[in-house]
Amino acid sequence: MPAPYEIRAGGDARNKKQSMADLKLRRLNELNSRLKEDLERPRIKVSEASMSLIQYCQNTRDFMVPSLWGQVDKREDPYAPQQPNGCCTVM
């Protein structure tokens, strides 16, 4: 006569713990690779970046700030309304 209850080997719990450990290891490895990529990214000092931005703003004409750059000719203004003889028509 067989026993009414079977004794489990406990392999299911052990496999679950192993898979959780593998998942944690994979996440740590992914985090480690992202941090290494961050370290390899070229960096510049804030003072250099701000000076570069200031020079760009002073040398690049911005059509959206006419008080600083003056009125813009309609032919030069990329934000001006399109001519009625444009390529597209809305019906």
Side-chain angles (χ1 to χ4, degrees):
M1 183 167 174
Y5 300 103
E6 293 182 28
I7 300 173
R8 291 187 175 181
D12 190 33
R14 197 173 300 145
N15 287 342
K16 191 173 186 177
K17 285 183 182 180
Q18 182 63 35
S19 67
M20 290 297 288
D22 289 341
L23 180 63
K24 286 181 181 180
L25 178 62
R26 190 175 72 214
R27 286 182 179 169
L28 284 173
N29 285 336
E30 289 172 357
L31 175 64
N32 192 22
S33 66
R34 284 194 304 263
L35 290 173
K36 284 180 181 180
E37 288 173 6
D38 282 347
L39 279 175
E40 293 171 358
R41 187 173 295 132
R43 305 197 186 270
I44 61 171
K45 294 180 180 179
V46 174
S47 58
E48 292 175 23
S50 59
M51 286 303 297
S52 174
L53 184 61
I54 290 170
Q55 287 175 355
Y56 175 81
C57 291
Q58 288 175 344
N59 297 328
T60 304
R61 190 169 185 177
D62 188 358
F63 298 112
M64 298 300 285
V65 189
S67 62
L68 180 64
W69 293 101
Q71 291 298 322
V72 181
D73 188 7
K74 295 286 185 189
R75 289 176 281 152
E76 295 178 16
D77 190 0
Y79 303 107
Q82 294 292 327
Q83 297 294 330
N85 297 334
C87 66
C88 301
T89 305
V90 178
M91 295 183 163

